[in-house]
Amino acid sequence: MGQHGFTALFPVENAGVSYAIRYNISRADYVQRVTSGITASVQPSAFLGTKISVCKGASVLSRAVSASISRQPLVAPIRAQGVAAPADTKAPTTTKKTDTKSTVIITGASSGLGLATAKVLADSGEWHVIMACRDFLKAERAARAVGMPKDSYTVIHCDLSSLNSVKQFVDNVRQSGRPLDVLVCNAAVYLPTAKEPRYTADGFELSVGTNHLGHFLLANMLMEDIQHKENDTNRRVIIVGSITGNTNTIAGNVPPKANLGDLRGLAGGLDGVRSSVMIDGGEFDGAKAYKDSKVCNMLTMQEMHRRFHEKTGVTFASLYPGCIATTGLFREHYQLFRTLFPPFQKYITKGYVSEEEAGKRLAQVVSDPTLNKSGVYWSWNNQSNSFENELSQEASDAEKAKKLWEISEKLVNLS
């Protein structure tokens, strides 16, 4: 990405196959085409972005933008289409100016904690941020809105609810020619008021399929890139956890409580046909599905530490940066909850943390040399000092972590 232009990767569809097409255009031209040359209506989507409907006479570029960000909420299992990358996406696009920077991938970087963290790291001048987002246009607008330097970030499409999209993202990252230092698994789906389950493109319940299985595949595929990095002083894989999945806390004991049981639902595929859509085999509960996925995230981090840290030197960590009560993660909660929750956290529990402060904390776990201990679940006290926190019995169960890993490998076709 240069000072006067940028490279955009858009997935487009032809004869049932999705392709990542690279456009090299000036930033001003891109903004003019998007804001002036396209007639579009914007509607809120079910999760992580917006839906853009483009007029029939739109240009090829506008149709590509639409293809990358238009998607209806999934209400039944469907199969993802095959993804392929044409030869012209394989040429490295790095420049000498950015080669000296470390590279971090942040999923869900178009808003909330992910965007705040991207902003901190980009502003440092020491990091190039790859924003892994489902909605390309939203991510590009967000980066410009918060003033991220033009040569400090690249937006690459990644839909964690599609295993094929995750694989295409990894291919696109490798084609960029950038050595990878840090992966931050941050994006999350939270559907606390959903009455019926939604599904990923591969037929998994949406919350666990996105938050856990999508990240599980992504982290495993990128391990090869991170562990082969010659500079081994700052190679890290970070998975954002949650206090709501940690039942040794007051917040973690608010019903419905996280509980993976014997993983029978996960082993059955979470498809609502052969098995329950819940990991423990129970009835669907959107809030519990999110909490369960966070337990999976924290167990995955520990299992990665046990499997890879000693032989690769890569640091694996999880964290809870504090209660970001105003985050878009709560967009699907009841309006009364969204109104009352922030002041409750600010004035009653005193646990409120702004997106900016939370972003600084996650950026610490990415870059601070004093926070390089592997296998740690980081938290912060009221003075914003970091400390090694304790996980609940289930979220630190080594046998359950191993079983979770083995089942997840089969579900994402890694075993």
Side-chain angles (χ1 to χ4, degrees):
M1 181 180 305
Q3 183 175 2
H4 302 295
F6 66 98
T7 298
L9 290 174
F10 296 105
V12 297
E13 186 177 291
N14 182 26
V17 179
S18 297
Y19 294 88
I21 295 199
R22 187 183 301 277
Y23 290 92
N24 291 293
I25 60 176
S26 71
R27 187 172 299 273
D29 184 40
Y30 173 78
V31 173
Q32 192 277 331
R33 291 190 189 201
V34 171
T35 59
S36 302
I38 300 173
T39 302
S41 61
V42 181
Q43 302 173 5
S45 178
F47 64 98
L48 295 182
T50 59
K51 184 184 75 175
I52 309 293
S53 300
V54 185
C55 67
K56 292 182 179 179
S59 65
V60 173
L61 175 60
S62 67
R63 291 196 297 272
V65 174
S66 178
S68 70
I69 59 180
S70 297
R71 180 173 178 181
Q72 293 287 351
L74 295 174
V75 295
I78 61 173
R79 294 296 167 188
Q81 295 176 326
V83 178
D88 67 352
T89 67
K90 297 181 180 179
T93 58
T94 55
T95 64
K96 290 183 179 180
K97 182 178 180 179
T98 55
D99 280 346
T100 59
K101 295 182 179 180
S102 298
T103 300
V104 55
I105 293 172
I106 304 177
T107 65
S110 62
S111 64
L113 175 61
L115 179 61
T117 306
K119 166 70 171 171
V120 173
L121 294 173
D123 284 351
S124 73
E126 299 176 355
W127 290 87
H128 186 90
V129 181
I130 295 179
M131 303 172 71
C133 302
R134 189 187 68 84
D135 189 329
F136 180 94
L137 183 58
K138 178 182 177 182
E140 176 62 31
R141 285 174 170 170
R144 287 189 279 110
V146 299
M148 289 172 59
K150 295 178 181 180
D151 63 349
S152 68
Y153 69 93
T154 302
V155 179
I156 301 181
H157 178 268
C158 183
D159 186 344
L160 288 161
S161 69
S162 165
L163 300 182
N164 274 345
S165 179
V166 172
K167 294 172 185 176
Q168 180 67 69
F169 171 79
V170 173
D171 286 344
N172 287 336
V173 169
R174 289 170 178 166
Q175 290 158 15
S176 75
R178 287 188 171 279
L180 179 60
D181 298 272
V182 179
L183 169 65
V184 178
C185 298
N186 161 72
V189 174
Y190 180 41
L191 307 170
T193 61
K195 304 302 181 185
E196 298 292 335
R198 302 177 193 172
Y199 297 89
T200 70
D202 303 277
F204 308 122
E205 187 278 320
L206 187 61
S207 298
V208 176
T210 302
N211 304 352
H212 167 56
L213 292 174
H215 278 132
F216 181 85
L217 176 61
L218 180 64
N220 273 276
M221 291 188 69
L222 288 174
M223 270 305 300
E224 175 185 346
D225 303 80
I226 297 174
Q227 69 185 12
H228 288 158
K229 183 77 162 49
E230 291 183 5
N231 180 6
D232 62 355
T233 59
N234 192 41
R235 296 172 299 142
R236 305 182 186 186
V237 175
I238 300 161
I239 306 177
V240 177
S242 173
I243 196 172
T244 62
N246 211 13
T247 54
N248 62 352
T249 65
I250 295 176
N253 277 280
V254 175
K257 294 197 294 184
N259 175 23
L260 306 188
D262 61 2
L263 305 177
R264 67 180 63 184
L266 185 68
L270 301 175
D271 60 7
V273 178
R274 295 170 298 169
S275 72
S276 166
V277 296
M278 300 296 290
I279 293 178
D280 64 352
E283 295 296 320
F284 174 70
D285 186 303
K288 183 177 183 298
Y290 169 80
K291 295 178 182 181
D292 289 348
S293 75
K294 291 285 105 180
V295 175
C296 290
N297 287 158
M298 293 182 282
L299 287 173
T300 297
M301 178 275 292
Q302 293 166 81
E303 187 65 12
M304 293 192 83
H305 165 72
R306 283 188 282 267
R307 287 173 180 256
F308 303 126
H309 174 64
E310 186 173 346
K311 64 181 180 181
T312 67
V314 176
T315 294
F316 301 92
S318 185
L319 73 150
Y320 172 63
C323 182
I324 316 172
T326 54
T327 179
L329 183 66
F330 300 118
R331 66 174 65 87
E332 296 225 4
H333 220 307
Y334 296 114
Q335 180 60 52
L336 182 62
F337 176 90
R338 298 200 304 271
T339 300
L340 297 179
F341 191 56
F344 177 77
Q345 289 295 332
K346 284 182 179 179
Y347 306 116
I348 305 299
T349 70
K350 307 294 184 180
Y352 175 85
V353 174
S354 67
E355 289 183 349
E356 291 75 16
E357 175 62 26
K360 293 177 183 178
R361 293 176 179 183
L362 178 48
Q364 276 185 275
V365 183
V366 170
S367 61
D368 192 329
T370 67
L371 272 63
N372 66 345
K373 184 175 179 180
S374 189
V376 173
Y377 170 64
W378 295 104
S379 293
W380 285 259
N381 59 28
N382 290 335
Q383 287 74 45
S384 293
N385 297 318
S386 60
F387 65 94
E388 298 179 30
N389 207 343
E390 294 185 7
L391 291 166
S392 66
Q393 182 176 351
E394 181 173 50
S396 58
D397 186 328
E399 287 301 314
K400 186 165 288 189
K402 180 181 178 182
K403 186 176 180 180
L404 172 70
W405 184 280
E406 292 170 349
I407 295 173
S408 300
E409 275 188 320
K410 294 178 181 177
L411 292 177
V412 301
N413 298 314
L414 284 178
S415 61

